[in-house]
Amino acid sequence: GENVEQHPSTLSVQEGDSAVIKCTYSDSASNYFPWYKQELGKRPQLIIDIRSNVGEKKDQRIAVTLNKTAKHFSLHITETQPEDSAVYFCAASAGHTDKLIFGTGTRLQVFP
Amino acid sequence: GAGVSQSPSNKVTEKGKDVELRCDPISGHTALYWYRQSLGQGLEFLIYFQGNSAPDKSGLPSDRFSAERTGGSVSTLTIQRTQQEDSAVYLCASSLWTDTDTQYFGPGTRLTVL
């Protein structure tokens, strides 16, 4: 079955710096890769996703890149702000409402 | 519109008791998922419903866990003879049966087994 690995487990940055979180997946059939942000005690919230027919997607300060050959995808947050502090999860699925297989999460701390 | 809702928000039970957790998906969402999140861990898939049927139960950790969905809407996750290792946050998500795969999560039920 699918296995998703996520690094780093914790990440601390100064406000205004960029943050990068990386994930690898094992199942070449996976074609949908969402990223969720989870604040303490809250539900996971989708922040961006990418499908395997594109290599990059951007939404304001957030971007995701996908390398299908290497089976890895990354989340890039630019101009970080303290409110970006949260746990970020990557996930992969075979698409069309298939189950999500999650990475173990990255705790991002943005210091003012 | 209303998002995914779950009840109860917190449940404390004694080892050996049965518990039922409820999920109300977003109206019109035919796909429903249950995940489990242990303290400080990622989300672990449990079961997936399409309508009232469960084509993927592969994540249920033991036969003490079961789930049902009636009327293509509300789902109940039942854990029988609870054990301390069942303590976790149980999250429900739903999505539309279209090419869109986005899963929307509920707030979760925090289960504590004493």
Side-chain angles (χ1 to χ4, degrees):
Chain A
E2 175 66 279
N3 181 55
V4 177
E5 295 189 355
Q6 182 171 349
H7 301 280
S9 56
T10 60
L11 180 59
S12 297
V13 300
Q14 282 297 125
E15 181 177 2
D17 288 350
S18 295
V20 180
I21 303 170
K22 299 182 178 181
C23 290
T24 61
Y25 62 99
S26 60
D27 189 350
S28 57
S30 290
N31 59 12
Y32 174 64
F33 308 91
W35 287 87
Y36 284 84
K37 175 183 180 182
Q38 188 176 32
E39 297 178 23
L40 189 62
K42 301 289 182 64
R43 73 187 75 189
Q45 298 272 14
L46 179 74
I47 56 171
I48 196 167
D49 56 14
I50 192 167
R51 290 172 174 78
S52 58
N53 57 345
V54 298
E56 185 174 1
K57 183 177 179 180
K58 190 172 183 180
D59 182 3
Q60 300 183 353
R61 296 186 298 108
I62 295 172
V64 57
T65 58
L66 171 66
N67 183 326
K68 285 174 56 181
T69 302
K71 296 202 192 84
H72 66 70
F73 56 113
S74 301
L75 177 71
H76 304 252
I77 306 174
T78 58
E79 300 171 29
T80 53
Q81 302 167 3
E83 51 265 37
D84 294 331
S85 297
V87 179
Y88 292 80
F89 292 98
C90 63
S93 84
H96 200 44
T97 73
D98 194 20
K99 61 181 179 283
L100 293 173
I101 303 300
F102 284 85
T104 50
T106 296
R107 182 174 300 279
L108 174 65
Q109 290 183 300
V110 181
F111 293 98
Chain B
V4 179
S5 61
Q6 293 184 244
S7 61
S9 55
N10 280 284
K11 177 70 177 178
V12 180
T13 190
E14 293 180 349
K15 177 182 173 181
K17 302 282 190 183
D18 297 352
V19 296
E20 285 189 352
L21 313 179
R22 175 186 169 108
C23 172
D24 281 275
I26 294 172
S27 178
H29 281 195
T30 58
L32 185 148
Y33 311 78
W34 284 97
Y35 295 88
R36 177 169 73 174
Q37 186 172 29
S38 301
L39 186 63
Q41 302 297 310
L43 287 79
E44 172 192 9
F45 168 77
L46 298 177
I47 187 170
Y48 153 57
F49 286 93
Q50 180 55 239
N52 292 335
S53 64
D56 191 346
K57 306 179 183 179
S58 62
L60 294 178
S62 76
D63 58 9
R64 295 187 295 105
F65 287 73
S66 63
E68 65 175 13
R69 189 179 185 195
T70 55
S73 182
V74 172
S75 176
T76 303
L77 177 69
T78 301
I79 309 174
Q80 296 179 308
R81 305 181 301 281
T82 52
Q83 303 293 314
Q84 288 184 331
E85 59 263 29
D86 299 334
S87 296
V89 175
Y90 289 82
L91 289 156
C92 172
S94 70
S95 70
L96 279 169
W97 181 251
T98 67
D99 287 338
T100 301
D101 305 281
T102 303
Q103 294 185 22
Y104 298 91
F105 281 84
T109 293
R110 181 175 297 278
L111 174 66
T112 302
V113 182
L114 301 177

